[in-house]
Amino acid sequence: MLMTLYFLLPIYNEEANIASVISGLRAGQFGDEIKIVAVNDGSADRTAEILNALSGSDLIVLGTHVNMNVGAVFSSGIKYIVSKAQDGDLLVILESDQTSAIDLVPVMLDEIRFKGKDIVVASRYVAGGGYRNFPVTRLIFSHLANRLMQYVFPIPNVLDYTIFFRAYRISSLRAALPYFGDSGLIQTHGFVANAELLIKLSLLSPLVAEIPFVYDYGVKRGASKINVLRTINEYFVLVAYLRRLTRKFKDYQHRTLT
């Protein structure tokens, strides 16, 4: 049966990259109908104009006139996709700056289609993965953030908690909504939303796999949007929040089993 493959693109000021990303997705051989959901987070450059020029039946443009945050983009995009998709459909979230390797998408999808996985992470920390042309301070920060998440919230087969580039079975996202709600699945505002989503889904025990991914920062055009100091603070806030949530979730599970 033909599935629909959804791509979610969180976008903020990507006039130099977004046309190439969408063209690459349209040229891909994925074996399914594709829908590209581009969530424009109040870009102040020519991003909106470029998205309008790329219009087609496979491109859905969402977003706001005012820059909100990464968490709001993820939340609105996932909420829209889950409302439209069937349980058998798949979702891939990529970065919009050309750093997500589109040629790895079929490998990620095969892990779901043929190996029964629910979530597939393009990982920089498994054998064969890594970084290329990456700023040293960002590299140190990424290692520390991922080590922190691994220590506090260990998930089997997961080393990379912070990467955008992942594939999801729609049914796994939909199954989480009765627990967290479509507005509660992502509560954080910044780049920590990636870790929040993965950790919350892990509470429902999905099957997760990682495939090796080399993050080449050199292909990106334009400046990074991340504020490292703010994001460090957001990780500590996230840890406190998810610890409380995890205790509540375990209490709920204990009550339902007794």
Side-chain angles (χ1 to χ4, degrees), residues 109-120:
L109 300 181
D110 284 351
E111 290 284 334
I112 296 177
R113 289 168 173 153
F114 304 120
K115 298 184 181 181
K117 305 303 181 183
D118 300 301
I119 303 169
V120 182

Side-chain angles (χ1 to χ4, degrees), residues 8-251:
L8 174 57
L9 301 176
I11 305 170
Y12 177 64
N13 287 350
E14 294 293 358
E15 64 179 7
N17 297 294
I18 194 59
S20 294
V21 173
I22 291 175
S23 296
L25 293 176
R26 285 173 165 168
Q29 301 296 315
F30 305 117
D32 296 305
E33 176 188 12
I34 70 166
K35 293 288 184 182
I36 303 167
V37 179
V39 186
N40 182 19
D41 189 19
S43 295
D45 62 1
R46 295 180 56 252
T47 294
E49 178 184 337
I50 293 168
L51 288 171
N52 185 59
L54 293 168
S55 64
S57 59
D58 60 348
L59 177 62
I60 300 98
V61 179
L62 308 175
T64 60
H65 295 297
V66 178
N67 175 236
M68 299 299 287
N69 53 68
V70 176
V73 168
F74 269 50
S75 185
S76 62
I78 290 172
K79 179 179 179 180
Y80 173 85
I81 291 167
V82 170
S83 74
K84 301 295 182 181
Q86 303 299 312
D87 277 350
D89 295 339
L90 307 177
L91 165 64
V92 177
I93 300 178
L94 319 95
E95 298 214 44
S96 300
D97 59 5
Q98 304 190 69
T99 56
S100 296
I102 293 173
D103 60 344
L104 284 182
V105 170
V107 181
M108 300 168 79
L109 300 181
D110 284 351
E111 290 284 334
I112 296 177
R113 289 168 173 153
F114 304 120
K115 298 184 181 181
K117 305 303 181 183
D118 300 301
I119 303 169
V120 182
V121 179
S123 176
R124 299 158 292 186
Y125 296 106
V126 292
Y131 292 88
R132 186 178 296 141
N133 303 309
F134 210 72
V136 174
T137 54
R138 288 277 307 280
L139 183 62
I140 294 170
F141 170 62
S142 178
H143 278 282
L144 291 175
N146 279 286
R147 287 291 182 89
L148 174 65
M149 293 297 105
Q150 291 169 39
Y151 177 75
V152 182
F153 305 107
I155 302 172
N157 305 316
V158 176
L159 299 175
D160 200 330
Y161 285 66
T162 64
I163 193 75
F164 271 67
F165 192 18
R166 299 184 195 137
Y168 300 85
R169 194 185 297 273
I170 291 291
S171 57
S172 295
L173 292 165
R174 184 168 282 133
L177 298 184
Y179 297 93
F180 307 112
D182 55 11
S183 298
L185 196 55
I186 297 174
Q187 291 286 293
T188 49
H189 295 165
F191 287 83
V192 300
N194 299 312
E196 180 189 4
L197 177 61
L198 183 63
I199 292 164
K200 282 183 173 177
L201 292 179
S202 76
L203 296 174
L204 301 173
S205 302
L207 297 175
V208 187
E210 290 192 319
I211 65 163
F213 167 52
V214 177
Y215 189 114
D216 187 354
Y217 197 79
V219 302
K220 173 185 175 67
R221 298 175 63 188
S224 173
K225 313 302 189 303
I226 190 171
N227 182 310
V228 173
L229 291 178
R230 182 192 306 150
T231 305
I232 289 171
N233 179 66
E234 288 172 348
Y235 271 110
F236 286 110
V237 172
L238 176 67
V239 167
Y241 162 59
L242 286 179
R243 274 180 162 170
R244 293 192 302 271
L245 178 69
T246 300
R247 286 195 294 269
K248 291 180 179 180
F249 196 87
K250 288 180 178 178
D251 287 345

